[in-house]
Amino acid sequence: MSKELLTRLLAGTLPDPDGSGPLSVPVRAVEIAPSLAGREASLVAALGLGARLAVVSDGATRRALGARVAAALGQGSEVVFDKAPAADMATVEQLRLRTKGSDALVAVGSGTINDLCKYASFLDGKPYAVFGTAPSMNGYTSVSAAITEHGHKKSLPAHVPLGVFLDLEVLSRAPIRMIRSGLGDSICRPTAEADWLLAHLLFDRPYRTAPFRLLAGDEGRLLANAKALVSGDIGAMEILARTLVLSGLGMTICGGSYPASQGEHLISHYIDMLGDPAWPASFHGEHVAVTTLTMARLQQETMAGGNPVLQPTSIDEAELIRHFGAELGTSCWEGFAKKRLDGGQARELNRKLAGEWPEIRRRIGAATRPLAELEAALHAAGAPTRSTEIGVPREFYRRAVLHAREIRDRYTFLDLAGDAGSL
């Protein structure tokens, strides 16, 4: 069913469940197959990217697939980062300079390589395509790029690849931690939807069901087959790969990362921005695995009780800047200030919560999955479930949960609990 949905979505014949006509995305081709060996050149040629192609990889992704892609394309140039690059503005500018004479970019990698190519090609008005080397994140087909700018990790507007090509044999050979990372990045759908729906129900902010309908057919099977993912099962890998692609397309349909990035990602971003560089390296999806369980627990406990009673937001600009520092704090305040509650807003929300909490709780509850089910899937795959398993000390993690809502303007259960004094 999900495979058919993907085909119809790319063809522009899938009805929008929110009633705005057929759904459409700018991605022209998605190929998920047991092997793409020998088809690389024809897949790229069908996109009409131009004659001068820059194949971009790093040392690890070139060994995994990049050399094969570059040899198959046969012309253009190769850009190979000597070491694993950082997804920051300095590296974006370096990539733009190194691909200045190209018509298009062909990324060969996963999270960082894809984001760098996505954003650099967007700034230069060039198309790009991507050959994935690991099922580690859902950003292949999203319309934004996770780029760090002046120490602040941001989700910046970008564009999608015209083609996404996933060789399941290559993905299955990825480091096991990257496979677990992809599961972790996928498992946050229930918590992200709950947060987004909460903001819709409290503030009438935009919300769509389309991105979640795309994932519904595979989600149960993905959770049930989590152990098979890390044992080389191609069928389980296909489910994960399709989930990652459809999750990214859901973000593209919505014009932002809202359906896949809410409170759990805010906690992860806080760790990225303020964590100690000396801590052991960890993948984004490993963070999200842990932070999703935190958000699921917070949401479950909040909805188990009576309606929250909110107070005006106590955090002010000076306090926030003291915590984050002048440069980062000023940037964070621009977003956080938009959702702070004054006395009148708190009273109005309390009236709404007093009258509508049972219905709010019912609707959000219908969109979630039990914490125990999410935790069991992560355990089955050997993925991290506690902060210490991703190298983050407990006391720092507690600060991350407490202050993550201050990073940007998205209203989540972190805000609800924070203003209710229960965070």
Side-chain angles (χ1 to χ4, degrees), residues 353-367:
L353 288 166
E356 301 178 18
W357 182 243
E359 178 62 11
I360 291 171
R361 185 168 58 183
R362 184 195 67 78
R363 288 193 59 183
I364 293 175

Side-chain angles (χ1 to χ4, degrees), residues 13-364:
T13 61
L14 185 65
D16 184 349
D18 300 308
S20 64
L23 295 169
S24 65
V25 293
V27 179
R28 293 183 191 167
V30 173
E31 189 73 15
I32 303 172
S35 175
L36 298 178
R39 300 176 56 200
E40 299 88 354
S42 61
L43 289 169
V44 172
L47 301 175
L49 298 181
R52 298 171 298 175
L53 304 179
V55 178
V56 183
S57 63
D58 61 25
T61 65
R62 189 179 190 277
R63 289 189 295 273
L65 184 58
R68 192 178 99 190
V69 171
L73 298 184
Q75 55 185 332
S77 61
E78 265 196 276
V79 175
V80 182
F81 289 97
D82 294 333
K83 57 182 181 179
D88 57 24
M89 285 303 299
T91 311
V92 168
E93 292 305 319
Q94 178 188 350
L95 180 58
R96 293 178 71 189
L97 184 63
R98 295 177 70 179
T99 58
K100 189 174 182 179
S102 66
D103 296 321
L105 279 60
V106 178
V108 184
S110 55
T112 297
I113 291 291
N114 182 61
D115 278 336
L116 290 171
C117 290
K118 177 185 295 188
Y119 196 56
S121 62
F122 170 73
L123 293 177
D124 289 336
K126 299 175 181 178
Y128 92 104
V130 58
F131 284 83
T133 56
S136 54
M137 50 86 224
N138 62 1
Y140 284 119
T141 52
S142 72
V143 76
S144 58
I147 302 293
T148 299
E149 185 175 23
H150 304 303
H152 192 175
K153 188 167 185 178
K154 298 180 178 179
S155 182
L156 298 176
H159 61 185
V160 297
L162 294 186
V164 180
F165 309 120
L166 301 177
D167 184 316
L168 296 174
E169 291 181 358
V170 172
L171 299 189
S172 295
R173 291 196 297 268
I176 196 166
R177 284 183 61 190
M178 298 188 81
I179 297 172
R180 291 168 175 155
S181 177
L183 175 64
D185 211 19
S186 299
I187 214 165
C188 74
R189 192 286 307 163
T191 61
E193 184 172 2
D195 278 341
W196 199 25
L197 184 53
L198 176 73
H200 171 67
L201 295 174
L202 293 185
F203 300 101
D204 198 29
R205 293 180 182 172
Y207 165 80
R208 297 183 66 175
T209 63
F212 309 117
R213 296 282 184 88
L214 294 176
L215 300 172
D218 276 334
E219 185 171 87
R221 291 196 296 158
L222 178 64
L223 297 175
N225 288 281
K227 186 175 182 179
L229 273 177
V230 294
S231 63
D233 186 287
I234 293 293
M237 184 58 66
E238 181 180 3
I239 294 171
L240 176 59
R242 187 167 54 243
T243 294
L244 296 172
V245 166
L246 285 170
S247 179
L249 290 173
M251 290 187 269
T252 295
I253 288 167
C254 295
S257 59
Y258 314 100
S261 176
Q262 295 284 340
E264 72 293 318
H265 276 70
L266 293 180
I267 303 170
S268 173
H269 293 338
Y270 183 100
I271 296 169
D272 288 337
M273 294 191 303
L274 296 182
D276 189 336
W279 291 342
S282 53
F283 294 108
H284 168 74
E286 292 179 310
H287 283 191
V288 175
V290 174
T291 61
T292 293
L293 296 184
T294 297
M295 287 305 301
R297 185 173 295 109
L298 175 63
Q299 291 168 354
Q300 183 174 291
E301 291 176 356
T302 301
M303 292 191 295
N307 62 278
V309 178
L310 308 181
Q311 300 296 324
T313 306
S314 61
I315 301 164
D316 61 20
E317 183 175 8
E319 180 182 352
L320 189 147
I321 289 176
R322 278 196 302 272
H323 183 81
F324 287 94
E327 184 175 28
L328 183 55
T330 299
S331 177
C332 290
W333 177 255
E334 292 177 4
F336 183 67
K338 298 175 184 177
K339 62 179 179 179
R340 291 178 75 249
L341 301 180
D342 60 24
Q345 291 168 323
R347 285 191 295 273
E348 181 61 31
L349 271 182
N350 283 332
R351 282 194 291 269
K352 178 183 279 285
L353 288 166
E356 301 178 18
W357 182 243
E359 178 62 11
I360 291 171
R361 185 168 58 183
R362 184 195 67 78
R363 288 193 59 183
I364 293 175

Side-chain angles (χ1 to χ4, degrees), residues 276 279 387-388 390-399:
D276 189 336
W279 291 342
S387 68
T388 52
I390 55 173
V392 179
R394 286 189 63 186
E395 284 308 309
F396 179 90
Y397 189 75
R398 289 170 63 87
R399 290 199 301 275

